[in-house]
Amino acid sequence: MSTAARGPLHGVRVVELAGIGPGPFAAMMLADLGADVVRVDRPSGPGLGIDPAHDVTNRNKRSVVVDLKSPDGAARVLDLAERADVLVEGYRPGVAERLGVGPAECHARNPRLVYGRMTGWGQDGPLAERAGHDVSYIAVTGALGLIGRPGEPPAVPANLLGDYAGGSLYLVVGVLAALHHARATGTGQVVDAAIVDGTAHLTAMIHGMLSAGAWQDRRGANLLDGGCPYYGTYETADGGHMAVGALEDRFSEQFLRLLDLADLLDARGDLSRWDELRARIAGRFRTRTRAEWTAVFEGTDACVAPVLSLREAPHHPHLAARGTFTEHAGLTQPAPAPRFSATPATVRTGPALPGADTEAVARDWDVPALADGDRPAPAADRAHRPDDHRTPLGRPSRKAHQ
């Protein structure tokens, strides 16, 4: 494989201290872009609670197993950090320091290192030491309160909005910016990526609209939160749903005509008739199946699309044509994004199995001590081994803060 075909970050070395959620996802993004990501797994096994061979967030990485609580555990990680460009960790504040692999210890060995820290609440503040999960973080930023129908509890958007959008993506942006600075100046730094900060940042446009009086501070009453009858979802005759985004006049006009609701064209800009419009539109959508409505709106600019399931999405004609999803080693998964004209990112390897790459990493990174000591148990055995530190969901309780 040519250098160009390995992605724009080919040659960048990343150490990932194993965790769950946004840290691994951010490290996967760096690996997708071509970085040599070495994941330092725990002897106790994977934290996600699924067979590691199916954990797509560990694709394109290599894995070594290090017990950071052993006498020489920190030294092995510091040996890797000395040879790395980036380190990513997702512990609670102070844990990495107590383990001997905090920023001060790493920078003493490698002043150019970009030290990326992924947490929910951040490295300081009244809640920094508290546990939490995605839904906790997006709740206090106001983002969760935006989502859902009025009069009902807010709808939980899986863990996409907080963990990945407000967390992983901001960590990656920060790491790449700090890496650029380190290469220009020779000085590394710490990147404090807190999910609360990133999620709050995502609401910038809405805060501007709120300030201008163009957004009501309540759910389901605005242009983009389902309050507008031209922007939302509707149930079809077979229990499916269609997503409508016909905001502009020219799009909403086409939308209404295709619904055979042209008599409502003069009501498009009348907010007092939104409830009437929504009821009429909902009634029309319930007269046909999702497939039938998909055919009606096919090839138009009415901005209507079928709501697909995770298993259906890879087969959508547009996504299939673009290769938005790919299959590797029998796993259907999203392809790397975004796309690069000169240095395309690819899925090069499947999910790294804990400890499977120890000897290769020891050789390639010139850290012979990494291969010393007891061999980890086979990955297949560890995947099904009970872990006293996991919650019933398979999540390590001490890491719930991420």
Side-chain angles (χ1 to χ4, degrees), residues 82-385:
E82 183 176 349
R83 294 156 175 80
D85 301 288
V86 177
L87 183 144
V88 172
E89 60 95 352
Y91 300 134
R92 293 198 198 195
V95 171
E97 285 82 352
R98 290 196 296 273
L99 292 171
V101 293
E105 292 87 353
C106 288
H107 283 142
R109 296 281 292 272
N110 181 0
R112 300 171 61 92
L113 182 72
V114 173
Y115 195 103
R117 315 198 82 166
M118 182 76 263
T119 60
W121 303 115
Q123 295 297 313
D124 53 36
L127 295 178
E129 298 293 334
R130 293 280 298 276
H133 272 302
D134 175 288
V135 71
S136 317
Y137 313 134
I138 67 175
V140 301
T141 64
L144 180 60
L146 298 172
I147 307 170
R149 298 182 181 278
E152 297 180 7
V156 178
N159 69 328
L160 303 179
L161 177 56
D163 277 358
Y164 298 143
S168 303
L169 297 184
Y170 279 85
L171 177 60
V172 170
V173 169
V175 160
L176 294 179
L179 183 60
H180 174 75
H181 174 265
R183 291 190 166 179
T185 66
T187 303
Q189 60 183 302
V190 176
V191 178
D192 174 5
I195 295 173
V196 288
D197 295 347
T199 305
H201 194 258
L202 290 169
T203 65
M205 182 192 75
I206 294 174
H207 272 281
M209 296 175 70
L210 184 67
S211 175
W215 189 277
Q216 299 182 62
D217 196 11
R218 57 191 179 92
R219 200 162 45 255
N222 299 283
L223 197 64
L224 302 175
D225 65 357
C228 173
Y230 302 114
Y231 199 88
T233 57
Y234 292 92
E235 186 176 4
T236 57
D238 58 346
H241 294 86
M242 300 295 291
V244 176
L247 290 175
E248 293 83 355
D249 285 348
R250 65 186 185 279
F251 300 150
S252 61
E253 179 177 349
Q254 187 173 172
F255 167 65
L256 289 175
R257 291 190 186 281
L258 288 168
L259 278 178
D260 294 328
L261 293 176
D263 60 303
L264 295 175
L265 288 174
D266 61 346
R268 285 177 296 164
D270 187 349
L271 272 64
S272 68
R273 297 185 66 183
W274 271 12
D275 289 341
E276 175 195 356
L277 283 169
R278 185 179 296 103
R280 292 280 303 277
I281 291 169
R284 285 294 295 149
F285 270 117
R286 284 194 291 267
T287 65
R288 300 186 187 182
T289 66
R290 189 186 71 176
E292 290 172 330
W293 282 120
T294 299
V296 167
F297 291 104
E298 184 73 26
T300 75
D301 280 341
C303 302
V304 178
V307 179
L308 302 183
S309 72
L310 289 174
R311 294 191 185 278
E312 291 175 318
H315 304 290
H316 186 277
H318 180 78
L319 304 186
R322 282 184 58 80
T324 299
F325 291 85
T326 188
E327 184 173 313
H328 186 277
L331 290 177
T332 299
Q333 56 197 281
R339 304 181 185 205
F340 298 83
S341 61
T343 55
T346 60
V347 178
R348 304 180 303 279
T349 63
L353 301 181
D357 308 293
T358 300
E359 292 186 3
V361 172
R363 180 188 65 246
D364 297 344
W365 284 44
D366 192 22
V367 187
L370 195 64
D372 295 340
D374 295 334
R375 298 292 183 192
D381 293 342
R382 287 194 305 275
H384 304 288
R385 179 182 297 172

Side-chain angles (χ1 to χ4, degrees), residues 9 12-17 23-24 26-40 57-64 86 88 348-349 352 357 361 365:
L9 293 184
V12 173
R13 286 179 169 180
V14 178
V15 175
E16 174 198 354
L17 302 186
M28 181 202 75
M29 292 185 66
L30 297 173
D32 283 354
L33 298 179
D36 181 7
V37 177
V38 171
R39 178 177 167 93
V40 179
T57 62
N58 284 330
R59 71 186 184 191
N60 288 334
K61 302 177 184 178
R62 299 194 286 178
S63 170
V64 302
V86 177
V88 172
R348 304 180 303 279
T349 63
D357 308 293
V361 172
W365 284 44

